Structures are given as C-alpha cells and as structure tokens.
Amino acid sequence: MGEDPSCFTVVLLATLMLFFSPSTAENLIDQEECRLVEVKQEKRYLKIKCGSKYKCPRSDVLYSVERYRDDPAWNKWAADCTLKYDVQCLNDPKFYEVCGHNREGCKTGTSDTKFCGTYICQYQNQTYTYMDGTITFGTRMLSGIVNTRYANCDMHHTCSNTLLDEEGCADPDQAFICKGEIDTLIPAEHVCDLKCDCYRCNEEAHCNNQTYGVDCDSIYGWHLHAMYNCNDYNECREGEDESDTHCSPDKIVRYCVPGDLHGPDYYNFFPDEFIRPLYAHQICATPRLAPFAWTCQDGMDQINCTDTTRVAMECEVRGHVTTVSVFALCRGYDLCSDGYQNNCYEVEGGCLLHKTQLCDGHNDCPDGTDESKTYCSTMSRTQCVRRVSLRPGSSKAKMEFPLSWVMDGVVDCEGGIDEKEESWLRCGRDLSRRYIEMESGCRDVFLCDKGDPLSTFVDFDDLCDKVASCGKENRVCEQAKSLISTWDAVPGEKVKRTSFCQRGLDSLAPLRGSCTKHSFEGPDKGILGISTTDVYIPSDKQECEQAYGELYVFLSCSGKCKTAKCPLTQVDQTSCSDIPVKDQVLSLTEDYRMTIVVKRKGEYFSHYFSCRNKRCTTYDKVCNLVNDCGDQSDEENCQNHYRCKDTGEYVPLSSVCDGSVDCRDYSDECGDSCSESSRNLLQNLSLKAFAWVSGVLATLLNLFIIGSHAKEVYDSRYLRSRIDKLLILLVALGDFSIGVYLLSIAAVDHHYQEQFCRLKFQWLTSGHCNALGVLSTIGSQLSLFSMASLSISRVVNINSLVQKESKTWTSRIKVLTLLTTLLLSSLAVAFFPLLPVLEDFFVNGLHYDKVTLFTGMVVKDTHYRILQSYNGRYRNEPLSWTRIRLMVREMFSKDYGGVQGSKVEFYGSDSVCIFKYLVTQSDPQHIFSLAILLLNFLCFILISVCYIVIQYFVSRSSSRVTTDTPASRRRELKLQTKISIIIATDFLCWIPFIVVCLLHFFEVIDATSWYPLFSIIILPLNSIINPLLYSDLVTKIIRGFIQTGSRGLSTIRTGGVSGVGESMSVTGTEVRTGTRDKAETTGV
C-alpha cells in the first residue's frame, strides 16, 4: 500500500488507453440495433443493449460480459458469481457497468463508491498460489472479476485500473486479519458479532472461550469452518479436521440430517447415510453466508449452545427443554414443540423478522416498519421479558408488547403472562372479543367484515389513523372526514393536464392565464430510459393552497406557486425499502446517480418521492393530507395544510377556523391559529357586556311591569281595559323571558370560557341548549303576538264610547280565550321543531362523543356516504334519522351499549341556541323557518299599520277640538313621537334581520356567523324598549329620578293616567281628547 500515487496514475492511464485502442472499431454503436432492456439480478437495472453487447453509461462504447471459467478451482459457484468483461467503461467510476449481470445468489450489497457493491478489476502481473494450482493474472488484457475475494482488502493494490480494492478497508493496526486464500482485513468490532465478515468466518471461530471449527493450514486458508469438519474428507493439509482430537466417536454430541454443502448438483460428503455426527466445536457455529452453506438441514447443530450470547430462547425440543441459537430462527427448522422459533413475519418491503423483533424499540428493517403503527399501534402497559432475545450479550429487559399478542394462543413472554387470562380484562364477544389491561375499561369497537384478512375489529384509538387495520376502515374514514382523495392524481401518463388547463376551458384564460406545456422531470434529471411527462400548467403563478397530490407537485416544482416550494427529494438506490427488491427498477441520472423508476404500461417514469425513512411513495401521495410515508416526510414540507396539534391529522388550510371541526382534537377551530374570541361562546367583549347589561335591564324592567300590571288586570272594571292591560302584561312576560335567556347565555359563556370551543357539541346536544332555545322563542313570539293583538285592540276600540263590564262570564271567557290563544301559539312555534315525529325535518345532525370515525356534527349527507362505503351500494333513497341510527349501530359492536349519536336539534344550529331563522334551500326545515319569518313580518306590518291608523284618528279628533292650546299640541306631539318610536324599533329589530335571512336563504351571503349579533343585540332590543313604550309608569319613574333627584319616587303619582286632558297614552290607559266638561274616552 506504499506505491507512489503519481506512478500509479500513469500506470492506470496507460492501461486504460490499452483497453480501448484495439476495440474502438468493433465496439461502435449501431443505433438501429439498440433497445432499452432490464438486466436483472436481485434488482432490475435499465441498460441499452445493442445486439449482444451493452452500451456503457455516458458513452458510445459497447461492452460484453460472460461467465469467467478460467478459474482453476472452477465450480458452479464460481461460474455464476465470477464474470469477465471485454471492456471497462471509462466514464463509469462507480461501475454501473457491472449492475445486474450476476445471478441472484451472488450477494453484492451497496456502497458509496460502487453502485452495486462490486467493481471490475484488471489484475496486475502478480502470481497467486491457490489450492494446488497457480493463477497468473495480467497475461490476458482484462480479467474482469466482479465479486472477487482475491483483491479486496488484501493490503495490496491488486487492480491496475482502480483503487477500490483497498478502499474502505480497516486500519491494519486495529483490524482483524482474515487468513484465507489471500489475507483480508475487517474492522475489529466485527469480531464475534454473530455475522460472517471473513469469507471463511475466521473472526467467529474463537468467541467467549469457545472454539468453532478447526485452525489449520487448509486449502481454504488458515481456518476451516465447522461445516467442513469431521466429514471423512481431509481438507486440512495435516488432517487435523478429521483427527480424533476433534472427531473421536466418543465425542459425538448428537446427530443431524446433513446439509448439501455445495448445493444439490455437487458432491455430498454423506451420500449413503441420512445422519451426520455432530461434535462440540460444531454446535451453534455462525453459519457462512454463502448459498447451501449449512451444516445440518434440520437445525440440530443450533440447539443446546454452550455460549450464552448465541442463545435466542429456550423451548422443548424432542421432549427436552434446551436452548435454541439465534441462527435457528425463521429457518423453518422443526425444533421447538410449539414451533415458536418460526413465528416470523415478512413485513413491508420483504423484511423477514421474528415476532419478538416487532415493537422492541429497535429498527430491524431499513425503513423502521417493524416499529410503525401498523404493528405497534396499541401497546400494553404491562411489561415482560420476551421469550426470544436477539441482542447478543445484552441482559434481558422487560418491555411492553402489542395487546394483540394477549391470549392469542402463543406464549410470547417468559412466565407466560400474556397467556394468563386472569391477568387481563376480557372485552367483547365473538368477533370483537379481545383482552385489555385490568385497569382499563371496555368499550365498543368498529366492526370489520367477518372474513377480513387483516382484522375483525378496530379499536377507537386506532380508527381513522391512516393505517389500514381492516379492509374497509380507510375507505369509510375518507367519507367520514371528507378527505380530498379524488384530487390527488392528474389524469394521464405521458401527457397530463392540470385542472387549470383541461380542454374546453379556454374561455377562462383571461381569469387564470394561458397554459403552456412543460416537460416535467422532478429532482432527478436526464434519467436513462425514462419517458418524459408533458404537463400542461398555467403560465402565471397560482395560489396552491387548494392543490394536492400531483397537482401540487407539478405546480410547486415547476415554479408556478406564489409561495409554495417543491417538496420533492432525490431518489437514490437505497430508497424504496418498502418495494420488494425483485420489483425495483434502477437507472442512471445525467449527474451520475442511481435512482429508482416506476414502470407503467411498458414505459418507465420517475414518479417516486423518497421518504426520510427510505420508503417511497408516488407523486399523487405527496402533499395530499395523508401521512403515506409513515414519518410525515411526504407532508411536512407542504404549504397546503394544517396539522392537528395532538392527533397529527392533516386538514386543508381552508378548514382552519371555518367554524366546522375537522381535527379530532378540535385544534383546527380551538387552536392558536384561531382568534381567542372564536374559542368562546360569545366572541368578543362587547357581546359579553351587552348580554349582561341588556339581560339585566330586560329582566328588571319587565319584571317591574309584570308586578305592577298583574293586579291591575285583575281589578280592571271594563273588558277593554282588562284586555289591554293583559296584553301589556304578556308583552312584558315575553320580554322578561328574553332577559332570562340573555342572562343564561352570558352565564354559560362565563362558565365555559375558552373551553367552550372543545366542549361545543356537548352544549349543543344538551337539554339546556334546547331549553334556552324554547325560552327565547316563546319570549319573542309571545311579545310579538301580544303587541300585534294590542295594536288590533286599540284600532278596533278607538271610536268606542261604551265600556263593557269585565267580570261577566262572557267577558272572562273572551279574556281567557285570548290568553290561551297567544300562549299556545307561542308554545306551538317553540316546541313544534322538537317533536320526535318530525325529527327528519328539524334535526340538524348527530354528534358522536369519543368515536374517532366522526368529528363534530355529522349531517345526513355524510352519514349516507359513510353507510354506502361501509355496506356497499344500495338504493339511492332518503334515509330517516331512525334508520341512520340503526345502521350506524350495526357498524360497531353493541357489547357496551353500542354507539349512540346525540341529536343536534333545531336550536343547536348555533352556540347561542336561537330559533334557526338562517336556512338555505337544502335545509329540510326551511319551509317552517321561512313561514315563521313571514308571520313575524306580517305582525310588524300589522303593528305599523294599526298605529298609523291610531295616529290618523287621534289627529282628526284633535282637529275638531275648538280650543287649540299649547298643551293639546304637546299631547299630540307626544303621541306621534311614541308611535314613531314603536314603528322604528320594530323596524330596526325585524326588517334588517328578515332581509339578511332572505339573502342567506338564496345563498347571496353566508350569515351563519351573525347569529350572536342578532340574538344578543338586535332582536332583544324591543325587550328593553317595550317597557318604556307600553307603560307610562316606567317612563314616569325614570323622569322622576331625573327631575327630582333625591326626592325619588315621592313625587310620582301612581297609575297610568294623571287627569283629564293631561296625557295622551298608547300604553293601554285612556286617551283623552276634548274639554274638561266632556271626555271622549278610548281604549287606546
């Protein structure tokens, strides 16, 4: 290793010139004969083949390859794994030339400096003695030996064309020397690590005071592996391998079925016998990694190990409890009586592991799939020592294990705690039968198909976690969560048109710009053999927040997004560990990197995204709101989503703070991204203050009116007066209800505070919300109906001079009828939407608490999609809520009450629990809501018309009075002012609200968020003003406070009328128009 580098470079260049000078003419490419082919070894490699030769990468030179059969020790192994090349490709320093030409049994591995772990070596003029013959290298122009063991790490630059034979070798001062045909070096830490690094396994021969095999001068080097010992064939020059020291009959430990040491086509050392004696130095020896290199076919050499570091487990073998080595696992040996050593899984990507390697905190598969949620979603809190230990030298530690192992009929823990039924709580029955921790509680589960190969049920904790626990889970969850799955892929293969550029949309060019064709390659450019994908994308940059999957990739990676960056990463030969090796197709990029391509319809495309965990997914799975990689890497660099804080789901940015819950943890509506006000029932301080102030005022003022008018109603002598006072009392009672409603909403807001956002649906589905909705509806309708009736009464009686007695039976019946009619009408409007028989018209949706399939309020359309996805196609007919609840219950077990959805009733459409006036044409209750809205509008018109009529009659009556005094003018002005205020307040309360409701109905605007404004400020306005308008008592009390100050109430005369001609009132007392000698009393 001490050669002058400059000298070596000269020799290397001279040699390379020698390579190509005689072969240039015969290796010219005839383009007409060339074609793209797959060259297959363990993986498949794309190459260009011209006739019988292959084209060098990044060159027009051709090369040929053949089996190298000039080896004096030639055998089937050498013939298959040793190759000869006529040309070494010049522009190929990592030897892509050799990839794919060996057969599958020839292990090559990967390397940073060698694409396929091997290289072409042109031997210098050196002579090596091998077996009984001599090999002289360098006599031929090229001896291309690919996976040669003659050149690597032998402390000499054996190859004249490359330095790779000594690259990456261990430091000679700190290395272990593998003494064999040619000495090679391995790192010292690889000694006794239970893996063969030396060709003859020398480094595993002396471990923990145990010797395996025989040290001797053999035809294979200075060590003879245990498999070659005591086989009646002298392979040590002095015969040590067959001596009595090692092979005496009295030292036989046991017998086994011998293995075919060199394969079925080669000789068998035990041709006439079916058993082979085994000796101590052969027991639990580290197997060689070469094909057919096992000592026994039945694994009997891998039990009862003396070296405890090689012990994987204990079990009963042929009636005796003994140890089994790590080398016997997953080999199919018939050893343990319960077969536990073969309890193995082939996880995604072809990684074969023993069951106990799953969920043990160590990534045994390259992509870490063995530690993923696919296998480790539900772990026990109970810890145990697992039966199998695959960490040599480490003490057995207790650890958690998947709950799916509990009572599965297989003992996985030492002591068998996983199979002791008394240690676990049994839940469910039949298909949903399972075992959980004792301190846990049983609950129902999601049911899969009976014949589902994955599972028969899914626990709520695992439901909709993007892992396919059973066949229909993800399909149902997509419908429940309204995932944007149909937008992920852009149609087409070689030509793709994004949604912006579909044919027939040319007329939209002025809005979204013109489209151009773009050849899309991704981060890996100029890949050998792939077909380019032509993508039609907009010429101008776009907002990409609503683009997903391929559309997002094409736009962002073509620089057509205003803010989003390309999420793609380069794919190399170590990527895509989840794709079986035999299905991987590799090619070469223009910057000389190896990458993996996908084959579709006979053509090759570069459409893979490389996950951080070395898994791969296609472009349509990138930035599509789903964690397809399993490590979030396909979503974490995307700017088109929001990730739920605790549950980790991805939802569109448009779903954040939109008033609809999409995250199971409610973080999209209750997180820091949303304003603090949106987390409360009442969104801002002004609403909170107005609710308290208006609630107190409405309650106290109307309570005062109720108290003052209740006795007057009873004591009224005349029917007309009693009716008017009763109606004023009912107005006050309705407005008092509104005040109580406002105070209740304010109290609920104070109780929940910022927690309301997360507990919103508990409130909306509660009886308290319905009760407040009923209370506010009764109050508003009773007040409005009573005001309308009062207006009619005054108009009807405005010219009546005869007062009827109120205490006759006829009068009492009239009063009672009026009272009953108004109360029943208000109650009917309030309770009608809550009738169970009408739930299909008035129930907004169902809320399922702690069932991860459903989030927030689930409406009928969503239920329909979920049920259709779960049950398959059925007739497209309307489903009643009763039918929906029954069908949803069938999706889950019913061992613990089943899944019950809580109804979000008519009043639960908004947090303030008000009558649902804001409806759209798709709402089944829109006819009822619009009818009540129309009724209220007619009441407003009626009130306005009545008071205009009153004003007209009063004005006409005043004009006939002969004496026009300032006092009479003041009385008339006062009456006009009160009438104007009544009409104006009714107008301000109802007309803007009705207009907004109509605009919302026709979907001109979305006024859903305006509910709190109308329910707290606009509609309750009358409840505060009515006591001032319909009762002079309150007005006079307030005026008295203002005028007399400290004298208080002493100057205020009780009653609604002060004297003849002193006041004109529209409050239900007398209106006097005329002189003191003659009064014309009215019931106005």
Side-chain angles (χ1 to χ4, degrees), residues 5 36 129 194 197 259 282 294 322 478 505 609 622 682 760 791 859 1034 1039 1051 1064 1079:
L36 185 69
T129 301
L194 306 186
D197 296 284
Q282 295 175 307
W294 51 74
T322 185
E478 284 180 1
L505 299 181
F609 172 84
V622 178
L682 299 178
K760 176 180 178 180
S791 304
V859 298
V1034 175
R1039 186 185 302 125
T1051 62
M1064 290 186 179

Side-chain angles (χ1 to χ4, degrees), residues 197-415:
D197 296 284
C198 296
Y199 188 72
R200 294 298 176 185
C201 241
N202 312 41
E203 85 282 9
E204 301 295 319
H206 303 281
C207 300
N208 299 309
N209 299 318
Q210 301 295 319
T211 298
Y212 303 92
V214 176
D215 291 329
C216 68
D217 180 13
S218 73
I219 59 176
Y220 300 119
W222 296 99
H223 175 76
L224 193 65
H225 190 271
M227 62 181 293
Y228 297 106
N229 300 167
C230 306
N231 60 359
D232 294 332
Y233 186 86
N234 287 331
E235 291 171 279
C236 291
R237 300 187 189 280
E238 302 297 330
E240 297 96 321
D241 55 320
E242 301 298 323
S243 67
D244 289 343
T245 304
H246 299 97
C247 306
S248 174
D250 59 348
K251 295 182 179 180
I252 295 175
V253 176
R254 68 182 74 92
Y255 294 89
C256 75
V257 177
D260 292 336
L261 302 186
H262 293 286
D265 298 332
Y266 202 61
Y267 58 87
N268 192 332
F269 289 115
F270 308 95
D272 300 322
E273 301 179 26
F274 295 100
I275 58 174
R276 170 180 183 165
L278 292 174
Y279 300 87
H281 63 285
Q282 295 175 307
I283 302 301
C284 298
T286 304
R288 292 181 60 218
L289 299 181
F292 314 112
W294 51 74
T295 304
C296 299
Q297 291 186 20
D298 55 7
M300 291 300 291
D301 58 319
Q302 298 298 337
I303 65 172
N304 198 21
C305 307
T306 304
D307 184 354
T308 56
T309 63
R310 302 185 174 217
V311 173
M313 60 177 291
E314 288 186 354
C315 68
E316 184 179 288
V317 179
R318 300 184 183 181
H320 300 280
V321 176
T322 185
T323 60
V324 178
S325 82
V326 296
F327 310 120
L329 301 180
C330 305
R331 292 295 301 270
Y333 296 144
D334 184 15
L335 296 176
C336 297
S337 58
D338 61 357
Y340 192 68
Q341 83 284 353
N342 292 320
N343 201 336
C344 303
Y345 293 86
E346 184 174 348
V347 301
E348 293 181 26
C351 182
L352 182 65
L353 299 176
H354 192 272
K355 181 181 182 180
T356 52
Q357 291 177 273
L358 301 174
C359 314
D360 63 351
H362 297 274
N363 289 337
D364 295 288
C365 293
D367 60 355
T369 308
D370 54 304
E371 302 300 316
S372 69
K373 289 191 68 175
T374 303
Y375 304 96
C376 314
S377 59
T378 308
M379 301 292 290
S380 68
R381 291 189 293 273
T382 301
Q383 295 185 333
C384 76
V385 176
R386 300 187 183 185
R387 282 181 63 188
V388 171
S389 174
L390 293 172
R391 312 286 170 209
S394 62
S395 58
K396 292 185 175 182
K398 289 186 176 181
M399 63 180 68
E400 299 172 348
F401 53 91
L403 281 175
S404 58
W405 294 5
V406 176
M407 299 303 296
D408 63 350
V410 179
V411 177
D412 299 291
C413 296
E414 291 186 1

Side-chain angles (χ1 to χ4, degrees), residues 956-972:
R956 191 180 65 174
S957 177
S958 298
S959 65
R960 292 199 299 265
V961 176
T962 57
T963 304
D964 184 12
T965 64
S968 65
R969 287 196 297 271
R970 284 196 301 271
R971 287 194 297 269
E972 184 175 352

Side-chain angles (χ1 to χ4, degrees), residues 93 142 198 242 314 368 503 556 637 695 708 730 742 831 956 1007 1017:
L142 183 70
C198 296
E242 301 298 323
E314 288 186 354
R503 290 188 175 93
S556 62
N637 293 320
S708 63
L730 291 178
L742 291 173
F831 281 101
R956 191 180 65 174
I1017 298 179

